[in-house]
Amino acid sequence: MQDQLNALKLEVEQAVAAAKDAAELENIEIRYLGRKGELTGLLKGLAGVSAEDRPKIGALANQIKVQCEGLIAAKRSGLEDAALSNLAETEREDVTEPGVRPPEGHLHLMTKAINEITETFEKIGFVRTRYPEVDWDYYAFESLNMPPDHPARDEWETFFMDAPVSEMGKMVLTPHTSNSQVRELERGEFPVRMINIAKCYRRQSDATHVPMFHQFEGLYVDKNVSITHLRGVLDYFAKSFFGADRKTRLRPFHFRFTEPSFEIDISCGVCGGSGIGADKQKCKICKRGWLELGGAGMVHPNVLKAAKVDPKKYSGFAFGWGVERTYLMKEGMQIDDLRALYKNDLRFLKQF
Ligand code: DAH
């Protein structure tokens, strides 16, 4: 029996040494020391031992049990320590390692353009306003000296809303930002120095036109405003937005809501206004030294009257230009299809 007990101890020692985790240890404990375990089984044979040897064997059995329990406990805490130090290794973080940059976007080209135009005009006291982009015919046309059915309206290929008509006419998707003029004047606060930048909509879609685009509308109304003020503002804008060497010129034109009316040209930044390129041929960008910015003029008395402003007391100028066009002219970018701006194709947008 003594030999059996010693053999059992040896078995437990080997099994514990080989155990790789807590679960294995638990099994060893149950198998050898448990209530129905091998040690208990062996001790059943104690009855057959002589009364003389019994205390000695009993003591040995007890001693072996205690030793085995000690072995298991020691191994268990050893395994726990190892797991802990392993944890330190597997979950170690090197805080000095450079981080992974999250993908970073940037503002859309036209948002940048709008911000820059706003800042440029803010420097000379113009204030950015917001007016409806779905507005009454009255503000889009009629109050701008364009009565219903006037042929001049044909130039604005307008989207009409399928909505009830009021005494201000139908609702339209604003085909230009000029709908802001009478709305701003109706506020009755002078001087008016407005820069209104908004979306415009027209039935058009080709390489140089998109159905949704942006315009910026300037309006300056006060006492004794003359064309020289308009010229001053145009020159200021051209020089700060396009560069100190750029010039503007006014070409007579016709709009219903300004009198006199002009088209504004800016000297070409590539050929310096000469119309001749570096290769002595016609400049490829402008062909004639000048690029067309857009319309401007002195506010028509009928527009002032529509807003209940006395044209004998007040006068002013207005201008309205396309944001896309103006910005692309500034950068000298030749985007061969304007529609690319609004296709949300990152391969295109990432370039700017
Ligand atoms: N609204 C005009 C257009 O869309 C542009 C324009 C011309 C605006 C002359 C003005 C102006 O304020 O004075 O074609």
Side-chain angles (χ1 to χ4, degrees), residues 11-30:
E11 251 183 70
V12 172
E13 275 173 357
Q14 283 169 353
V16 167
K20 284 184 292 294
D21 55 36
E24 246 181 88
L25 268 185
E26 177 112 14
N27 285 339
I28 293 167
E29 197 169 19
I30 291 167

mmCIF file with all atom_site columns, all heavy atoms in Angstrom, residues 11-30:
data_model
loop_
_atom_site.group_PDB
_atom_site.id
_atom_site.type_symbol
_atom_site.label_atom_id
_atom_site.label_alt_id
_atom_site.label_comp_id
_atom_site.label_asym_id
_atom_site.label_entity_id
_atom_site.label_seq_id
_atom_site.pdbx_PDB_ins_code
_atom_site.Cartn_x
_atom_site.Cartn_y
_atom_site.Cartn_z
_atom_site.occupancy
_atom_site.B_iso_or_equiv
_atom_site.pdbx_formal_charge
_atom_site.auth_seq_id
_atom_site.auth_comp_id
_atom_site.auth_asym_id
_atom_site.auth_atom_id
_atom_site.pdbx_PDB_model_num
ATOM 1   N N   . GLU A 1 11 ? 2.761   9.977  -9.884  1.00 0.00 ? 11 GLU A N   1
ATOM 2   C CA  . GLU A 1 11 ? 1.858   10.243 -11.018 1.00 0.00 ? 11 GLU A CA  1
ATOM 3   C C   . GLU A 1 11 ? 1.320   11.677 -10.956 1.00 0.00 ? 11 GLU A C   1
ATOM 4   O O   . GLU A 1 11 ? 1.289   12.388 -11.958 1.00 0.00 ? 11 GLU A O   1
ATOM 5   C CB  . GLU A 1 11 ? 0.664   9.287  -10.954 1.00 0.00 ? 11 GLU A CB  1
ATOM 6   C CG  . GLU A 1 11 ? 0.678   8.219  -12.032 1.00 0.00 ? 11 GLU A CG  1
ATOM 7   C CD  . GLU A 1 11 ? -0.573  7.349  -11.943 1.00 0.00 ? 11 GLU A CD  1
ATOM 8   O OE1 . GLU A 1 11 ? -1.666  7.879  -12.257 1.00 0.00 ? 11 GLU A OE1 1
ATOM 9   O OE2 . GLU A 1 11 ? -0.459  6.171  -11.540 1.00 0.00 ? 11 GLU A OE2 1
ATOM 10  N N   . VAL A 1 12 ? 0.901   12.049 -9.732  1.00 0.00 ? 12 VAL A N   1
ATOM 11  C CA  . VAL A 1 12 ? 0.374   13.411 -9.579  1.00 0.00 ? 12 VAL A CA  1
ATOM 12  C C   . VAL A 1 12 ? 1.458   14.436 -9.913  1.00 0.00 ? 12 VAL A C   1
ATOM 13  O O   . VAL A 1 12 ? 1.226   15.404 -10.656 1.00 0.00 ? 12 VAL A O   1
ATOM 14  C CB  . VAL A 1 12 ? -0.167  13.639 -8.142  1.00 0.00 ? 12 VAL A CB  1
ATOM 15  C CG1 . VAL A 1 12 ? -0.526  15.111 -7.919  1.00 0.00 ? 12 VAL A CG1 1
ATOM 16  C CG2 . VAL A 1 12 ? -1.361  12.754 -7.894  1.00 0.00 ? 12 VAL A CG2 1
ATOM 17  N N   . GLU A 1 13 ? 2.668   14.203 -9.422  1.00 0.00 ? 13 GLU A N   1
ATOM 18  C CA  . GLU A 1 13 ? 3.771   15.145 -9.711  1.00 0.00 ? 13 GLU A CA  1
ATOM 19  C C   . GLU A 1 13 ? 3.950   15.329 -11.222 1.00 0.00 ? 13 GLU A C   1
ATOM 20  O O   . GLU A 1 13 ? 4.045   16.439 -11.725 1.00 0.00 ? 13 GLU A O   1
ATOM 21  C CB  . GLU A 1 13 ? 5.075   14.615 -9.105  1.00 0.00 ? 13 GLU A CB  1
ATOM 22  C CG  . GLU A 1 13 ? 5.253   14.977 -7.645  1.00 0.00 ? 13 GLU A CG  1
ATOM 23  C CD  . GLU A 1 13 ? 6.482   14.295 -7.037  1.00 0.00 ? 13 GLU A CD  1
ATOM 24  O OE1 . GLU A 1 13 ? 7.156   13.506 -7.752  1.00 0.00 ? 13 GLU A OE1 1
ATOM 25  O OE2 . GLU A 1 13 ? 6.737   14.560 -5.859  1.00 0.00 ? 13 GLU A OE2 1
ATOM 26  N N   . GLN A 1 14 ? 3.945   14.213 -11.936 1.00 0.00 ? 14 GLN A N   1
ATOM 27  C CA  . GLN A 1 14 ? 4.170   14.292 -13.399 1.00 0.00 ? 14 GLN A CA  1
ATOM 28  C C   . GLN A 1 14 ? 3.003   14.993 -14.104 1.00 0.00 ? 14 GLN A C   1
ATOM 29  O O   . GLN A 1 14 ? 3.207   15.833 -14.964 1.00 0.00 ? 14 GLN A O   1
ATOM 30  C CB  . GLN A 1 14 ? 4.358   12.891 -13.959 1.00 0.00 ? 14 GLN A CB  1
ATOM 31  C CG  . GLN A 1 14 ? 5.741   12.361 -13.652 1.00 0.00 ? 14 GLN A CG  1
ATOM 32  C CD  . GLN A 1 14 ? 5.869   10.863 -13.957 1.00 0.00 ? 14 GLN A CD  1
ATOM 33  O OE1 . GLN A 1 14 ? 4.868   10.191 -14.277 1.00 0.00 ? 14 GLN A OE1 1
ATOM 34  N NE2 . GLN A 1 14 ? 7.089   10.352 -13.829 1.00 0.00 ? 14 GLN A NE2 1
ATOM 35  N N   . ALA A 1 15 ? 1.812   14.602 -13.664 1.00 0.00 ? 15 ALA A N   1
ATOM 36  C CA  . ALA A 1 15 ? 0.631   15.199 -14.304 1.00 0.00 ? 15 ALA A CA  1
ATOM 37  C C   . ALA A 1 15 ? 0.590   16.718 -14.074 1.00 0.00 ? 15 ALA A C   1
ATOM 38  O O   . ALA A 1 15 ? 0.322   17.507 -14.998 1.00 0.00 ? 15 ALA A O   1
ATOM 39  C CB  . ALA A 1 15 ? -0.642  14.553 -13.781 1.00 0.00 ? 15 ALA A CB  1
ATOM 40  N N   . VAL A 1 16 ? 0.887   17.128 -12.822 1.00 0.00 ? 16 VAL A N   1
ATOM 41  C CA  . VAL A 1 16 ? 0.860   18.564 -12.512 1.00 0.00 ? 16 VAL A CA  1
ATOM 42  C C   . VAL A 1 16 ? 1.929   19.302 -13.327 1.00 0.00 ? 16 VAL A C   1
ATOM 43  O O   . VAL A 1 16 ? 1.692   20.363 -13.910 1.00 0.00 ? 16 VAL A O   1
ATOM 44  C CB  . VAL A 1 16 ? 1.054   18.805 -10.995 1.00 0.00 ? 16 VAL A CB  1
ATOM 45  C CG1 . VAL A 1 16 ? 1.354   20.274 -10.711 1.00 0.00 ? 16 VAL A CG1 1
ATOM 46  C CG2 . VAL A 1 16 ? -0.178  18.354 -10.238 1.00 0.00 ? 16 VAL A CG2 1
ATOM 47  N N   . ALA A 1 17 ? 3.120   18.679 -13.407 1.00 0.00 ? 17 ALA A N   1
ATOM 48  C CA  . ALA A 1 17 ? 4.200   19.331 -14.153 1.00 0.00 ? 17 ALA A CA  1
ATOM 49  C C   . ALA A 1 17 ? 3.782   19.542 -15.616 1.00 0.00 ? 17 ALA A C   1
ATOM 50  O O   . ALA A 1 17 ? 4.096   20.559 -16.236 1.00 0.00 ? 17 ALA A O   1
ATOM 51  C CB  . ALA A 1 17 ? 5.473   18.504 -14.050 1.00 0.00 ? 17 ALA A CB  1
ATOM 52  N N   . ALA A 1 18 ? 3.019   18.580 -16.144 1.00 0.00 ? 18 ALA A N   1
ATOM 53  C CA  . ALA A 1 18 ? 2.665   18.667 -17.565 1.00 0.00 ? 18 ALA A CA  1
ATOM 54  C C   . ALA A 1 18 ? 1.436   19.541 -17.821 1.00 0.00 ? 18 ALA A C   1
ATOM 55  O O   . ALA A 1 18 ? 1.166   19.907 -18.968 1.00 0.00 ? 18 ALA A O   1
ATOM 56  C CB  . ALA A 1 18 ? 2.419   17.252 -18.112 1.00 0.00 ? 18 ALA A CB  1
ATOM 57  N N   . ALA A 1 19 ? 0.693   19.872 -16.769 1.00 0.00 ? 19 ALA A N   1
ATOM 58  C CA  . ALA A 1 19 ? -0.563  20.609 -16.977 1.00 0.00 ? 19 ALA A CA  1
ATOM 59  C C   . ALA A 1 19 ? -0.305  21.988 -17.592 1.00 0.00 ? 19 ALA A C   1
ATOM 60  O O   . ALA A 1 19 ? 0.618   22.691 -17.202 1.00 0.00 ? 19 ALA A O   1
ATOM 61  C CB  . ALA A 1 19 ? -1.305  20.758 -15.664 1.00 0.00 ? 19 ALA A CB  1
ATOM 62  N N   . LYS A 1 20 ? -1.142  22.332 -18.578 1.00 0.00 ? 20 LYS A N   1
ATOM 63  C CA  . LYS A 1 20 ? -0.897  23.601 -19.282 1.00 0.00 ? 20 LYS A CA  1
ATOM 64  C C   . LYS A 1 20 ? -1.871  24.709 -18.886 1.00 0.00 ? 20 LYS A C   1
ATOM 65  O O   . LYS A 1 20 ? -1.623  25.876 -19.179 1.00 0.00 ? 20 LYS A O   1
ATOM 66  C CB  . LYS A 1 20 ? -0.946  23.356 -20.796 1.00 0.00 ? 20 LYS A CB  1
ATOM 67  C CG  . LYS A 1 20 ? 0.317   22.660 -21.312 1.00 0.00 ? 20 LYS A CG  1
ATOM 68  C CD  . LYS A 1 20 ? 0.330   22.505 -22.816 1.00 0.00 ? 20 LYS A CD  1
ATOM 69  C CE  . LYS A 1 20 ? -0.710  21.530 -23.321 1.00 0.00 ? 20 LYS A CE  1
ATOM 70  N NZ  . LYS A 1 20 ? -0.467  20.100 -22.897 1.00 0.00 ? 20 LYS A NZ  1
ATOM 71  N N   . ASP A 1 21 ? -2.983  24.335 -18.269 1.00 0.00 ? 21 ASP A N   1
ATOM 72  C CA  . ASP A 1 21 ? -3.899  25.408 -17.860 1.00 0.00 ? 21 ASP A CA  1
ATOM 73  C C   . ASP A 1 21 ? -4.747  25.014 -16.659 1.00 0.00 ? 21 ASP A C   1
ATOM 74  O O   . ASP A 1 21 ? -4.681  23.867 -16.189 1.00 0.00 ? 21 ASP A O   1
ATOM 75  C CB  . ASP A 1 21 ? -4.795  25.825 -19.038 1.00 0.00 ? 21 ASP A CB  1
ATOM 76  C CG  . ASP A 1 21 ? -5.540  24.633 -19.605 1.00 0.00 ? 21 ASP A CG  1
ATOM 77  O OD1 . ASP A 1 21 ? -5.926  23.761 -18.810 1.00 0.00 ? 21 ASP A OD1 1
ATOM 78  O OD2 . ASP A 1 21 ? -5.737  24.588 -20.841 1.00 0.00 ? 21 ASP A OD2 1
ATOM 79  N N   . ALA A 1 22 ? -5.509  25.907 -16.153 1.00 0.00 ? 22 ALA A N   1
ATOM 80  C CA  . ALA A 1 22 ? -6.294  25.732 -14.934 1.00 0.00 ? 22 ALA A CA  1
ATOM 81  C C   . ALA A 1 22 ? -7.290  24.579 -15.069 1.00 0.00 ? 22 ALA A C   1
ATOM 82  O O   . ALA A 1 22 ? -7.514  23.829 -14.117 1.00 0.00 ? 22 ALA A O   1
ATOM 83  C CB  . ALA A 1 22 ? -7.026  27.028 -14.612 1.00 0.00 ? 22 ALA A CB  1
ATOM 84  N N   . ALA A 1 23 ? -7.842  24.414 -16.256 1.00 0.00 ? 23 ALA A N   1
ATOM 85  C CA  . ALA A 1 23 ? -8.845  23.359 -16.442 1.00 0.00 ? 23 ALA A CA  1
ATOM 86  C C   . ALA A 1 23 ? -8.196  21.985 -16.272 1.00 0.00 ? 23 ALA A C   1
ATOM 87  O O   . ALA A 1 23 ? -8.761  21.081 -15.637 1.00 0.00 ? 23 ALA A O   1
ATOM 88  C CB  . ALA A 1 23 ? -9.452  23.489 -17.828 1.00 0.00 ? 23 ALA A CB  1
ATOM 89  N N   . GLU A 1 24 ? -7.008  21.844 -16.827 1.00 0.00 ? 24 GLU A N   1
ATOM 90  C CA  . GLU A 1 24 ? -6.298  20.569 -16.708 1.00 0.00 ? 24 GLU A CA  1
ATOM 91  C C   . GLU A 1 24 ? -5.982  20.266 -15.245 1.00 0.00 ? 24 GLU A C   1
ATOM 92  O O   . GLU A 1 24 ? -6.130  19.125 -14.786 1.00 0.00 ? 24 GLU A O   1
ATOM 93  C CB  . GLU A 1 24 ? -4.985  20.665 -17.503 1.00 0.00 ? 24 GLU A CB  1
ATOM 94  C CG  . GLU A 1 24 ? -4.939  19.736 -18.709 1.00 0.00 ? 24 GLU A CG  1
ATOM 95  C CD  . GLU A 1 24 ? -3.627  19.844 -19.453 1.00 0.00 ? 24 GLU A CD  1
ATOM 96  O OE1 . GLU A 1 24 ? -2.677  19.132 -19.100 1.00 0.00 ? 24 GLU A OE1 1
ATOM 97  O OE2 . GLU A 1 24 ? -3.568  20.712 -20.367 1.00 0.00 ? 24 GLU A OE2 1
ATOM 98  N N   . LEU A 1 25 ? -5.579  21.309 -14.534 1.00 0.00 ? 25 LEU A N   1
ATOM 99  C CA  . LEU A 1 25 ? -5.260  21.155 -13.109 1.00 0.00 ? 25 LEU A CA  1
ATOM 100 C C   . LEU A 1 25 ? -6.486  20.684 -12.331 1.00 0.00 ? 25 LEU A C   1
ATOM 101 O O   . LEU A 1 25 ? -6.392  19.810 -11.477 1.00 0.00 ? 25 LEU A O   1
ATOM 102 C CB  . LEU A 1 25 ? -4.806  22.490 -12.522 1.00 0.00 ? 25 LEU A CB  1
ATOM 103 C CG  . LEU A 1 25 ? -3.311  22.815 -12.520 1.00 0.00 ? 25 LEU A CG  1
ATOM 104 C CD1 . LEU A 1 25 ? -3.094  24.125 -11.779 1.00 0.00 ? 25 LEU A CD1 1
ATOM 105 C CD2 . LEU A 1 25 ? -2.505  21.700 -11.845 1.00 0.00 ? 25 LEU A CD2 1
ATOM 106 N N   . GLU A 1 26 ? -7.570  21.280 -12.659 1.00 0.00 ? 26 GLU A N   1
ATOM 107 C CA  . GLU A 1 26 ? -8.825  20.943 -11.991 1.00 0.00 ? 26 GLU A CA  1
ATOM 108 C C   . GLU A 1 26 ? -9.153  19.457 -12.183 1.00 0.00 ? 26 GLU A C   1
ATOM 109 O O   . GLU A 1 26 ? -9.517  18.755 -11.246 1.00 0.00 ? 26 GLU A O   1
ATOM 110 C CB  . GLU A 1 26 ? -9.926  21.814 -12.605 1.00 0.00 ? 26 GLU A CB  1
ATOM 111 C CG  . GLU A 1 26 ? -11.291 21.537 -12.063 1.00 0.00 ? 26 GLU A CG  1
ATOM 112 C CD  . GLU A 1 26 ? -11.809 22.715 -11.251 1.00 0.00 ? 26 GLU A CD  1
ATOM 113 O OE1 . GLU A 1 26 ? -11.218 23.803 -11.359 1.00 0.00 ? 26 GLU A OE1 1
ATOM 114 O OE2 . GLU A 1 26 ? -12.780 22.503 -10.509 1.00 0.00 ? 26 GLU A OE2 1
ATOM 115 N N   . ASN A 1 27 ? -8.934  18.991 -13.412 1.00 0.00 ? 27 ASN A N   1
ATOM 116 C CA  . ASN A 1 27 ? -9.195  17.571 -13.704 1.00 0.00 ? 27 ASN A CA  1
ATOM 117 C C   . ASN A 1 27 ? -8.279  16.661 -12.888 1.00 0.00 ? 27 ASN A C   1
ATOM 118 O O   . ASN A 1 27 ? -8.712  15.618 -12.380 1.00 0.00 ? 27 ASN A O   1
ATOM 119 C CB  . ASN A 1 27 ? -8.999  17.296 -15.198 1.00 0.00 ? 27 ASN A CB  1
ATOM 120 C CG  . ASN A 1 27 ? -10.166 17.833 -15.994 1.00 0.00 ? 27 ASN A CG  1
ATOM 121 O OD1 . ASN A 1 27 ? -11.252 18.038 -15.433 1.00 0.00 ? 27 ASN A OD1 1
ATOM 122 N ND2 . ASN A 1 27 ? -9.954  18.096 -17.281 1.00 0.00 ? 27 ASN A ND2 1
ATOM 123 N N   . ILE A 1 28 ? -7.016  17.078 -12.780 1.00 0.00 ? 28 ILE A N   1
ATOM 124 C CA  . ILE A 1 28 ? -6.054  16.277 -12.002 1.00 0.00 ? 28 ILE A CA  1
ATOM 125 C C   . ILE A 1 28 ? -6.513  16.192 -10.546 1.00 0.00 ? 28 ILE A C   1
ATOM 126 O O   . ILE A 1 28 ? -6.523  15.117 -9.920  1.00 0.00 ? 28 ILE A O   1
ATOM 127 C CB  . ILE A 1 28 ? -4.646  16.913 -12.100 1.00 0.00 ? 28 ILE A CB  1
ATOM 128 C CG1 . ILE A 1 28 ? -4.130  16.798 -13.548 1.00 0.00 ? 28 ILE A CG1 1
ATOM 129 C CG2 . ILE A 1 28 ? -3.683  16.238 -11.116 1.00 0.00 ? 28 ILE A CG2 1
ATOM 130 C CD1 . ILE A 1 28 ? -2.903  17.645 -13.832 1.00 0.00 ? 28 ILE A CD1 1
ATOM 131 N N   . GLU A 1 29 ? -6.927  17.343 -10.047 1.00 0.00 ? 29 GLU A N   1
ATOM 132 C CA  . GLU A 1 29 ? -7.345  17.417 -8.638  1.00 0.00 ? 29 GLU A CA  1
ATOM 133 C C   . GLU A 1 29 ? -8.525  16.460 -8.383  1.00 0.00 ? 29 GLU A C   1
ATOM 134 O O   . GLU A 1 29 ? -8.525  15.690 -7.415  1.00 0.00 ? 29 GLU A O   1
ATOM 135 C CB  . GLU A 1 29 ? -7.743  18.853 -8.306  1.00 0.00 ? 29 GLU A CB  1
ATOM 136 C CG  . GLU A 1 29 ? -7.788  19.121 -6.814  1.00 0.00 ? 29 GLU A CG  1
ATOM 137 C CD  . GLU A 1 29 ? -7.922  20.612 -6.506  1.00 0.00 ? 29 GLU A CD  1
ATOM 138 O OE1 . GLU A 1 29 ? -8.329  21.374 -7.410  1.00 0.00 ? 29 GLU A OE1 1
ATOM 139 O OE2 . GLU A 1 29 ? -7.606  20.996 -5.367  1.00 0.00 ? 29 GLU A OE2 1
ATOM 140 N N   . ILE A 1 30 ? -9.485  16.530 -9.325  1.00 0.00 ? 30 ILE A N   1
ATOM 141 C CA  . ILE A 1 30 ? -10.671 15.677 -9.147  1.00 0.00 ? 30 ILE A CA  1
ATOM 142 C C   . ILE A 1 30 ? -10.285 14.198 -9.270  1.00 0.00 ? 30 ILE A C   1
ATOM 143 O O   . ILE A 1 30 ? -10.664 13.367 -8.453  1.00 0.00 ? 30 ILE A O   1
ATOM 144 C CB  . ILE A 1 30 ? -11.754 16.050 -10.187 1.00 0.00 ? 30 ILE A CB  1
ATOM 145 C CG1 . ILE A 1 30 ? -12.312 17.442 -9.868  1.00 0.00 ? 30 ILE A CG1 1
ATOM 146 C CG2 . ILE A 1 30 ? -12.892 15.020 -10.177 1.00 0.00 ? 30 ILE A CG2 1
ATOM 147 C CD1 . ILE A 1 30 ? -13.148 18.049 -10.967 1.00 0.00 ? 30 ILE A CD1 1
#
